[in-house]
């Protein structure tokens, strides 16, 4: 599928009544698609995906569209959200140890590429801390310097081992056996319930009009400043 077809397919996975805090609905997405404003339509769909959980297929489709438009940060963010839809959301308030007290002397990337280990309270058969790997994405900033503090999203390699965590729980970050940072769990959400996420979608897909398109390439999204902060989080 080409970009407009992918965006149309993703829009059909959004219930008609869903709206953002700014009263953006899927009808607004279709308006931009009609005028080949593909990048703006993508951004609006990402915002609608934050209102309530949506199917992994929604985020997969957006990621493919972003890749075809060569929007690398958008694609990475949509792939991240697809992982969360499948495995659940874990958000935490992370504070890194100062450079004078830790092994790390440079900022960490906020783009979800670092895979540190975490002490989440589990133990090995011999009673030692059992550390578990989870990718780290910083919300709202591209880098987090030593001693810095920010909300983060975690994508565990094995989500089943993290199911005991809840808001208020304390975990520690490790890049070796020493503590690199301390985090307090802010939010834990389960994976998307596909039956709930699809509620109303089938009826909507039968009634929404097809978007009449005219030939042309993706628009630049003029008039819509900024984005959703994908490099460092939503």
């Amino acid at each position: 599928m080409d970009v407009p077809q992918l965006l149309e397919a993703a829009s059909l996975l959004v219930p008609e009544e869903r709206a953002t805090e700014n009263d953006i609905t899927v009808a607004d997405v279709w308006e931009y698609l009609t005028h080949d404003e593909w990048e703006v339509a993508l951004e609006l769909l990402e915002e609608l995906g934050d209102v309530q959980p949506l199917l992994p297929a929604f985020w997969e489709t957006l990621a493919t569209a972003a890749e075809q438009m060569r929007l690398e940060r958008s694609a990475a963010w949509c792939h991240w959200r697809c992982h969360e839809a499948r495995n659940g959301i874990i958000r935490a308030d992370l504070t890194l140890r100062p450079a004078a007290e830790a092994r790390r002397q440079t900022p960490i990337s906020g783009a979800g590429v670092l895979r540190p280990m975490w002490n989440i309270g589990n133990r090995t058969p011999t009673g030692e801390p059992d550390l578990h790997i989870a990718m780290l994405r910083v919300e709202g900033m591209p880098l987090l310097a030593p001693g810095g503090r920010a909300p983060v999203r975690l994508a565990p390699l094995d989500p089943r081992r993290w199911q005991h965590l809840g808001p208020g729980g304390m975990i520690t970050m490790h890049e070796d056996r020493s503590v690199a940072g301390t985090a307090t769990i802010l939010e834990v959400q389960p994976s998307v319930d596909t039956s709930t996420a699809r509620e109303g979608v089938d009826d909507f897909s039968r009634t929404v009009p097809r978007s009449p398109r005219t030939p042309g390439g993706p628009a630049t999204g003029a008039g819509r400043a900024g984005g959703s902060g994908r490099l460092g989080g939503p």
Side-chain angles (χ1 to χ4, degrees):
M1 288 191 289
D2 59 20
V3 169
Q5 289 174 327
L6 288 164
L7 295 175
E8 289 171 9
S11 72
L12 293 175
L13 295 173
V14 181
E16 183 179 11
E17 70 279 0
R18 182 166 300 187
T20 68
E21 293 181 355
N22 298 323
D23 292 326
I24 298 296
T25 69
V26 74
D28 297 293
V29 175
W30 280 86
E31 180 67 22
Y32 282 107
L33 287 175
T34 300
H35 296 91
D36 286 338
E37 295 274 358
W38 303 346
E39 188 171 344
V40 179
L42 173 66
E43 291 180 2
L44 296 184
L45 285 167
E46 289 179 6
E47 292 182 21
L48 286 165
D50 287 333
V51 178
Q52 289 178 340
L54 286 175
L55 295 167
F58 170 82
W59 293 107
E60 281 182 335
T61 305
L62 287 190
T64 302
E67 287 169 348
Q68 290 193 18
M69 288 190 282
R70 299 184 180 180
L71 301 174
E72 295 180 0
R73 287 184 291 176
S74 284
W77 173 237
C78 292
H79 281 303
W80 184 280
R81 293 305 305 273
C82 182
H83 180 279
E84 290 184 332
R86 287 199 174 99
N87 298 288
I89 296 173
I90 301 176
R91 296 180 61 250
D93 182 9
L94 172 66
T95 301
L96 296 181
R97 293 182 64 188
E101 302 176 8
R103 172 176 172 268
R104 173 174 285 277
Q105 303 295 301
T106 59
I108 65 173
S109 169
V113 296
L114 188 68
R115 298 188 177 197
M117 298 175 291
W118 301 85
N119 183 347
I120 58 175
N122 295 335
R123 295 282 175 177
T124 67
T126 60
E128 297 295 321
D130 192 6
L131 303 182
H132 303 288
I133 296 173
M135 290 187 294
L136 169 66
R137 188 179 187 95
V138 183
E139 294 184 352
M141 58 181 66
L143 299 170
L144 183 62
R149 176 180 177 183
V152 299
R153 302 174 89 101
L154 304 178
L157 190 63
D158 186 353
R160 296 170 299 176
R161 295 182 178 271
W162 297 63
Q163 292 179 350
H164 64 285
L165 294 176
M170 300 291 294
I171 61 177
T172 55
M173 171 181 155
H174 301 256
E175 294 187 86
D176 53 22
R177 284 291 171 178
S178 63
V179 175
T182 303
T184 302
I185 300 297
L186 298 174
E187 176 185 1
V188 177
Q189 292 187 23
S191 58
V192 173
D193 182 335
T194 56
S195 61
T196 299
R198 285 202 61 87
E199 186 177 353
V201 168
D202 292 332
D203 290 339
F204 179 45
S205 65
R206 288 193 292 268
T207 59
V208 69
R210 295 290 293 175
S211 171
R213 298 194 305 273
T214 56
T220 59
R224 180 173 171 79
S228 53
R230 302 175 195 91
L231 178 60

